[in-house]
Amino acid sequence: MPNKILVTGGAGYIGSHTIVALLENGLEPIIVDNFSNANPDMLERLKGITGRDVKFYRADCTDRRAMRMIFESEKDLKGVIHFAALKSVAESILQPGRYYQNNLNALWTVAEVMQEFDIPNLVFSSSATVYGQPVELPVNENTPLSPPTNPYGNTKLQGEQYLRDLVTSGAAIRPALLRYFNPVGAHPSGLIGEAPLGAPSNLVPYITQTAVGMRQQLTIFGNNYNTPDGTCIRDFIHVMDLAEAHVACLQHLLRASDPGVETFNLGTGRGVSVWNAVTTFEEISGKALPYQFGPRRNGDVPAIWANVDRAQEVLNWKAERSFALALEDAYRWQLKAAS
């Protein structure tokens, strides 16, 4: 019988792609989602890709009673992948209280219920924002952490510290902290992809929505950074590579015997500027994008990209898909979604 894995936030962007990867690797995912940043039709889209009905609970991870009922119903769970969180940097600056309340309470509740039901394996969705303004490039897992430049990043940093404190206390929990860089792209079927509710806060959906006419023009925030072309530099990773990293990490935890905290950067190891992302999209799509330069956004760091050696050595994983392919897949998804 396949190992059952609870996936909080499993109807969201990264979560839905990870559901596909889990099924492809013989695991049985169970989704928990409150649809605060996802669409209920995701379940049918997943079935269209996998041919499977994925078990689903509509619940909020901050609701301890609801989470206990789910764990009670799924007593043979082997692990949890915890995606459920609010995730917009810009929004977190405007609504810090909402981000601290939601993101930290959700993690606390999930981790405590896991201990109650003796389920140690936890894959935690963290972020490269914990590096703040990095003191060195590329950043590796031992790079000193700087104060994050926004409340969203602070919730991830505090979440990481909470899990470390749990392990130090002797709690029977085995967490892996996955520090994402910039997920982009979509499943090659075009059935699932990044579908932000409201105006996008990430670059690639803003590009693709502009390309299909949903947005009048693209705004590039800042062109006077100390970078080769003046725009920010990021490490863009295809979402399917990222999804497969979660499977590799979970399988690593299932083989592990000792408690402890493990940390992995998940990126490509290459930096791409915002301007280069725009011009690459224009090349692969054949469309000229209307754009304007705007002021810098609060909370943005000029440049960051990953050293990913540890994920390759320990998890036997590395990103395989190109940035151009990620843009092609994202555009295919956007065209289908707009039709």
Side-chain angles (χ1 to χ4, degrees), residues 37-50:
N37 196 36
N39 195 308
D41 73 356
M42 181 59 68
L43 300 175
E44 282 302 312
R45 292 176 178 273
L46 286 170
K47 185 176 181 179
I49 294 171
T50 66

Side-chain angles (χ1 to χ4, degrees), residues 22-308:
L22 289 166
L23 288 167
E24 287 176 346
N25 284 272
L27 298 163
E28 184 180 346
I30 299 163
I31 295 174
V32 176
D33 206 298
N34 65 0
F35 294 119
S36 64
N37 196 36
N39 195 308
D41 73 356
M42 181 59 68
L43 300 175
E44 282 302 312
R45 292 176 178 273
L46 286 170
K47 185 176 181 179
I49 294 171
T50 66
R52 296 271 303 276
D53 286 310
V54 181
K55 195 167 187 180
F56 165 75
Y57 292 92
R58 185 164 192 160
D60 192 308
C61 289
T62 64
D63 185 338
R64 188 178 304 272
R65 181 180 178 185
M67 295 307 295
R68 289 192 77 257
M69 290 176 62
I70 293 168
F71 277 72
E72 185 70 40
S73 300
E74 307 291 345
K75 291 184 178 179
D76 53 348
L77 289 170
K78 299 300 182 184
V80 175
I81 301 177
H82 181 58
F83 291 110
L86 300 172
K87 63 177 186 177
S88 167
V89 168
E91 184 181 67
S92 77
I93 293 171
L94 298 174
Q95 303 178 42
R98 180 170 171 242
Y99 271 68
Y100 283 106
Q101 192 279 334
N102 182 84
N103 291 5
L104 295 176
N105 282 346
L107 176 61
W108 294 337
T109 300
V110 169
E112 288 175 7
V113 176
M114 285 178 66
Q115 293 170 75
E116 182 180 344
F117 286 86
D118 195 28
I119 301 166
N121 299 309
L122 172 63
V123 178
F124 175 57
S125 171
S126 189
S127 167
T129 55
V130 301
Y131 293 112
Q133 181 70 54
V135 298
E136 61 186 23
L137 289 170
V139 294
N140 62 46
E141 291 83 357
N142 294 319
T143 296
L145 303 182
S146 302
T149 57
N150 54 78
Y152 164 74
N154 269 316
T155 67
K156 293 301 185 180
L157 183 60
Q158 291 183 29
E160 286 194 6
Q161 189 57 54
Y162 166 66
L163 293 173
R164 289 193 187 91
D165 290 342
L166 270 185
V167 172
T168 300
S169 76
I173 194 163
R174 186 183 300 120
L177 316 177
L178 302 188
R179 293 174 179 165
Y180 308 161
F181 282 70
N182 290 73
V184 291
H187 190 269
S189 67
L191 288 175
I192 60 174
E194 189 169 9
L197 301 180
S201 58
N202 295 330
L203 175 65
V204 170
Y206 219 121
I207 287 174
T208 58
Q209 289 189 10
T210 302
V212 299
M214 292 176 61
R215 305 285 164 190
Q216 186 174 6
Q217 65 181 354
L218 170 70
T219 298
I220 299 172
F221 296 103
N223 64 341
N224 58 352
Y225 286 100
N226 185 24
T227 60
D229 61 24
T231 66
C232 291
I233 294 174
R234 295 292 183 267
D235 188 336
F236 295 101
I237 177 173
H238 196 297
V239 67
M240 285 308 303
D241 279 326
L242 188 61
E244 289 162 5
H246 286 77
V247 177
C249 184
L250 184 64
Q251 291 171 333
H252 170 69
L253 290 180
L254 291 172
R255 293 190 300 265
S257 57
D258 297 327
V261 181
E262 297 194 81
T263 306
F264 300 98
N265 283 344
L266 298 183
T268 66
R270 298 180 298 276
V272 175
S273 74
V274 169
W275 180 246
N276 185 246
V278 172
T279 57
T280 300
F281 179 82
E282 289 181 328
E283 289 171 7
I284 64 118
S285 68
K287 295 184 70 73
L289 292 174
Y291 70 90
Q292 65 177 0
F293 288 107
R296 297 183 182 189
R297 290 188 305 185
N298 290 332
D300 279 347
V301 300
I304 188 168
W305 64 92
N307 176 306
V308 291

